[in-house]
Amino acid sequence: MADFISDEFVDAEIPDDDSSIYLSIADMMSSLLMFFALLFITVLLQLAEKDAPKRVVIGNVVGQMKSNNINVKVNPDNGDVSIQESILFAKGSTELKPEGKAFLRRFIPVYSGVIFSKPEFDQEISRVVIEGHTSSEGDDKTNLQLSLLRASSVYTYIFYDMNFSTKAPLSQKILAAGRGEIESDKTRDNPSDRKVVFRFQFRSDELKKDIVKTSL
């Protein structure tokens, strides 16, 4: 009889031990979830903090373009400034039109002036890329060459034929690149795809990538 009671007692204790284990696992999982939630919130706050200078720079570019009546399209998310082909070049040409040169003489001092108006703007913008773009009309090789030559023509005019107060520091940040029809509408020949884009590369974007990598 004593042996039976003892065995029954031991058997009755097993579920209690299992329950304790399950509760410990649940507590551990809850702690881990809380840890990752706090880590996620911390990363978001860091990203938002790093993104603040970028938004201020873009806002200043938009404001200066409007206040100086410069007809360009500024992307409010990344600061890309798009200049339509018709302003700078004749169709199929890589030579700047007289009105294109006049446009650059108005645009570049204002655009560059924003970059170097504050030390924090200068620090935030690591690179400015002049990108030539084409529509999908024609073959890839011709379009890529055309886009590169147009970007090069803009670069050459800015630094060999223009004078403005921030020319020297701008020359340390800027480069020319051809994108061809990579970003064009492949279903039709869209005239708006023929453009030159001034694109910022932001230091905060590079830091954001580092933050995400180290947080994973």
Side-chain angles (χ1 to χ4, degrees):
M1 184 68 173
D3 291 341
F4 174 76
I5 293 173
S6 177
D7 290 343
E8 186 180 37
F9 178 76
V10 171
D11 291 341
E13 289 296 316
I14 292 174
D16 292 338
D17 291 342
D18 288 344
S19 297
S20 298
I21 293 172
Y22 293 144
L23 286 172
S24 297
I25 293 173
D27 290 341
M28 182 177 68
M29 293 301 295
S30 296
S31 298
L32 284 172
L33 287 173
M34 181 65 71
F35 170 76
F36 284 115
L38 290 173
L39 180 62
F40 180 68
I41 292 171
T42 301
V43 170
L44 288 180
L45 290 173
Q46 286 179 321
L47 293 180
E49 182 180 352
K50 297 297 182 185
D51 221 26
K54 173 181 172 180
R55 293 196 299 270
V56 175
V57 171
I58 294 172
N60 272 264
V61 171
V62 172
Q64 287 300 314
M65 294 300 111
K66 288 182 178 179
S67 63
N68 286 276
N69 295 314
I70 298 175
N71 182 27
V72 291
K73 181 180 179 181
V74 183
N75 186 314
D77 296 320
N78 57 26
D80 285 359
V81 177
S82 298
I83 307 168
Q84 290 305 304
E85 170 203 54
S86 58
I87 296 175
L88 300 174
F89 302 97
K91 187 175 180 179
S93 173
T94 62
E95 184 178 350
L96 282 164
K97 299 190 296 186
E99 53 264 47
K101 295 178 180 178
F103 174 85
L104 289 174
R105 287 196 297 270
R106 291 184 59 234
F107 166 70
I108 290 298
V110 175
Y111 180 75
S112 182
V114 172
I115 298 171
F116 301 103
S117 61
K118 296 182 179 180
E120 54 266 35
F121 291 0
D122 181 10
Q123 184 178 6
E124 171 62 16
I125 299 167
S126 58
R127 182 73 65 186
V128 179
V129 184
I130 305 172
E131 293 183 348
H133 293 257
T134 71
S135 72
S136 57
E137 182 182 25
D139 63 86
D140 293 353
K141 184 177 179 180
T142 300
N143 284 336
L144 184 59
Q145 184 179 32
L146 176 63
S147 67
L148 179 57
L149 290 174
R150 282 180 166 176
S152 180
S153 291
V154 172
Y155 177 94
T156 299
Y157 184 74
I158 292 171
F159 294 105
Y160 289 88
D161 296 287
M162 287 179 58
N163 287 303
F164 52 99
S165 61
T166 54
K167 180 177 178 178
L170 182 63
S171 68
Q172 301 301 310
K173 289 183 181 290
I174 207 163
L175 58 83
R179 299 283 289 170
E181 58 184 79
I182 290 175
E183 298 181 13
S184 67
D185 184 347
K186 299 300 187 294
T187 64
R188 66 188 182 95
D189 175 24
N190 189 344
S192 66
D193 290 332
R194 302 189 187 101
K195 60 192 175 185
V196 171
V197 176
F198 283 74
R199 178 163 291 171
F200 288 138
Q201 290 181 359
F202 291 102
R203 203 171 303 280
S204 59
D205 288 338
E206 300 166 4
L207 292 173
K208 281 163 66 178
K209 292 178 183 177
D210 293 338
I211 290 172
V212 171
K213 285 180 182 178
T214 55
S215 300
L216 294 177

